[in-house]
Amino acid sequence: MLLSAARRFESIDVSRARDVYLQALTSAMLAGRLGDECRIAEVAHSARRVPAASVPRASDLLLDGLTLLIVEGRDAAVPVLRKAVSAFTTAELAPEEELYWLWLAGHGAGLLWDDEAWRLLATRLLRSCEERGALSILPMAAATRAGLHLLSGELLQAASLAETAADVTFMTGAGPVAYAEVGLAVFRGRDDEAAAAIRTATRDSLARGEGMALTYLQWATAVLHNGACRYDQALESARQAVADSSVQRIRNWALPELIEAAVRTGHQDLADEALRELCRTTEPCSSHWAAGIEAHCRALLAVGTDAEDLYRTALGQLECTGLRAAVARVHLLYGEWLRRERRLLEARDQLRQAHDMFVRFGMDGFAERARSELSAAGEPTRKRRSGFDEQLTPQERRVAMLAAEGATNPEIASRLFISASTVDYHLRKVFRKLKVTTRTQLARLLQDGQPIPGDTDRS
């Protein structure tokens, strides 16, 4: 229907035609493998025939970049996608443009392995939905921002947004597949919770015809199994995700999971091919994320000093991003490699850093894997401490997260659809439970578990 509408607009209004093609491309991407297999290519080829805009808008650049990726490949698309993402991060957009296109622009940033731009766009979309009361879009916006929090090791913030998405979906009776809920359970490494969430989301994906969600779920399942050293199962899930070329950003994320699982199960040829595929996505990009993830995956396949150099390169590159979960995983892999090389003192240092980070994040599955490796390397490990998410109610977590981000009580009330007096009530309980007295202390505590002694800033 959208494709037919776009073709009708071509002879009447080029700008409108291009907008409808972008909508059609979004719909085809969401359908993915559960839609018409030729639909994405058909939309892209048709859109390429529309005359270029005389003064291209950010959305025009985005349409050109995404369709070039499909029709001509990554090398042709990357320069245009980079211009499009830059335009969206700097341009003044009309409200409807923010609501319609910021998610897709964030998808473009993900294709470029540009975590900084993706974070800016996801945050802007979430704020736009909250400010305008766009409840139909808010669950997806919250889930997208929650995904970045997960990759950054900020599971408390992700939990708050997952709960917001679930609440709004319940209120409106409509919303996306529970991306945030699944991602949170997977990153926490809670098998039963994750398995139940994945089953429910898989059923919803099939009912809605959302192939993109299925690919996301397969990637998430691979992360869960790799975290628990169930490499055979991780391999199968990652292969299923990689097989879907219609959702290239999620496919790109699945390639490192496939490489790790293939290496651990002795499927060298499969790991080599997956690395070649990954490098085709990272080499045209110039981000620290791209360089770090490529070095991390090359290290898994390397030996001797080459492996060590690559692990150090991966850490150096990823430390320049906000993707702390990825940093922790490289510390873990590097430590495991050092232990196999019988360099136990160095191995313990890397594994200790990984373990401490995973515990602080609340990534229990990976924390247990790091704890087991530490024990094998000859170091006793500490019991996992109770996380903040176990001390606060869901509503208290959301209020705490927003207060830590600097939102005022009226702003928190508006964003959570509650009264300012209710915010004050929850915030007083949060302060009492966490034994802090200021918002600055709260922010530090939620960030890294360390309150600031002697701080005098009052709530």
Side-chain angles (χ1 to χ4, degrees):
M1 184 182 297
L2 284 171
L3 187 56
S4 299
R7 287 168 175 161
R8 288 197 299 273
F9 275 116
E10 287 180 23
S11 60
I12 303 171
D13 184 341
V14 170
S15 294
R16 181 59 177 152
R18 294 177 68 82
D19 285 347
V20 178
Y21 272 121
L22 203 51
Q23 290 175 324
L25 191 61
T26 303
S27 296
M29 287 169 49
L30 289 170
R33 67 176 76 178
L34 296 180
D36 185 336
E37 292 184 5
C38 300
R39 177 60 62 175
I40 292 178
E42 181 183 3
V43 172
H45 280 90
S46 295
R48 297 297 304 159
R49 293 195 292 267
V50 179
S54 55
V55 180
R57 304 162 297 167
S59 58
D60 291 317
L61 293 170
L62 184 59
L63 178 65
D64 290 341
L66 292 173
T67 54
L68 274 171
L69 180 66
I70 296 163
V71 174
E72 297 186 24
R74 184 168 293 271
D75 289 342
V78 163
V80 183
L81 275 176
R82 192 172 286 128
K83 289 179 182 177
V85 169
S86 177
F88 271 100
T89 58
T90 59
E92 288 292 329
L93 301 174
E96 62 273 13
E97 290 180 299
E98 289 191 333
L99 297 176
Y100 286 156
W101 307 135
L102 281 177
W103 177 84
L104 196 58
H107 177 79
L111 289 169
L112 296 172
W113 297 94
D114 187 342
D115 60 297
E116 182 178 355
W118 185 22
R119 183 175 291 105
L120 287 171
L121 294 166
T123 301
R124 186 174 176 181
L125 174 59
L126 180 59
R127 292 292 169 83
S128 183
C129 289
E130 291 171 339
E131 290 168 1
R132 294 175 173 83
L135 296 184
S136 63
I137 302 173
L138 181 56
M140 178 58 87
T144 301
R145 188 65 184 89
L148 273 160
H149 282 306
L150 290 174
L151 296 177
S152 301
E154 298 164 349
L155 270 64
L156 284 173
Q157 291 90 327
S160 175
L161 288 172
E163 289 156 1
T164 295
D167 284 352
V168 175
T169 297
F170 178 79
M171 288 165 51
T172 62
V177 171
Y179 289 92
E181 180 183 347
V182 168
L184 184 64
V186 163
F187 271 65
R188 283 172 167 165
R190 299 177 181 177
D191 282 342
D192 292 343
E193 180 183 329
I198 289 168
R199 280 196 303 271
T200 299
T202 299
R203 185 171 63 247
D204 289 348
S205 302
L206 293 170
R208 295 164 182 264
E210 291 184 18
M212 184 180 76
L214 281 182
T215 304
Y216 173 88
L217 295 170
Q218 288 158 354
W219 162 75
T221 303
V223 174
L224 179 70
H225 290 315
N226 271 335
C229 301
R230 296 188 293 263
Y231 297 116
D232 286 323
Q233 292 164 272
L235 181 68
E236 180 58 28
S237 296
R239 289 180 76 164
Q240 292 173 358
V242 167
D244 182 11
S245 60
S246 64
V247 190
Q248 293 195 31
R249 177 177 54 153
I250 301 173
R251 181 178 186 270
N252 293 348
W253 297 352
L255 285 166
E257 304 303 330
L258 178 58
I259 292 165
E260 181 174 343
V263 167
R264 294 293 190 250
T265 56
H267 291 81
Q268 186 71 30
D269 290 346
L270 183 57
D272 289 338
E273 176 56 31
L275 179 62
R276 286 191 290 272
E277 284 287 317
L278 178 72
C279 292
R280 283 194 279 271
T281 78
T282 55
E283 287 174 354
C285 304
S286 57
S287 72
H288 292 294
W289 188 10
I293 208 72
E294 180 181 326
H296 145 211
C297 290
R298 286 188 181 279
L300 283 165
L301 289 160
V303 296
T305 57
D306 288 343
E308 181 157 26
D309 290 345
L310 285 164
Y311 279 126
R312 291 186 176 277
T313 296
L315 286 171
Q317 292 289 340
L318 292 171
E319 287 281 4
C320 296
T321 73
L323 307 176
R324 304 298 296 161
V327 174
R329 287 188 69 174
V330 176
H331 279 302
L332 174 59
L333 292 169
Y334 186 19
E336 289 173 338
W337 179 83
L338 286 166
R339 188 177 75 78
R340 290 194 297 272
E341 295 289 308
R342 300 185 183 280
R343 294 163 56 181
L344 298 184
L345 286 175
E346 296 164 279
R348 288 199 288 267
D349 179 59
Q350 293 295 324
L351 293 168
R352 192 182 309 114
Q353 290 186 68
H355 181 260
D356 289 349
M357 291 175 76
F358 288 134
V359 168
R360 188 165 68 248
F361 299 159
M363 295 178 64
D364 297 347
F366 279 100
E368 175 58 23
R369 175 172 155 187
R371 188 206 62 77
S372 178
E373 285 286 334
L374 261 177
S375 179
E379 179 171 307
T381 52
R382 296 161 291 189
K383 286 183 65 176
R384 178 189 179 273
R385 61 185 175 182
S386 176
F388 300 125
D389 59 333
E390 297 168 4
Q391 300 178 45
L392 304 179
T393 68
Q395 191 75 310
E396 288 167 357
R397 278 199 299 269
R398 281 177 278 186
V399 169
M401 289 298 112
L402 292 171
E405 291 169 8
T408 65
N409 283 13
E411 288 170 340
I412 296 171
S414 174
R415 291 164 70 175
L416 296 184
F417 310 104
I418 57 180
S419 69
S421 61
T422 301
V423 172
D424 182 67
Y425 168 74
H426 285 307
L427 198 53
R428 281 188 280 111
K429 290 182 65 178
V430 167
F431 277 40
R432 184 170 63 252
K433 286 183 177 183
L434 299 186
K435 297 180 173 60
V436 297
T437 59
T438 74
R439 290 182 186 237
T440 304
Q441 288 178 345
L442 178 64
R444 177 61 63 85
L445 184 63
L446 297 181
Q447 178 181 355
D448 60 15
Q450 296 298 321
I452 304 173
D455 193 284
T456 58
D457 172 41
R458 296 292 162 190
S459 64

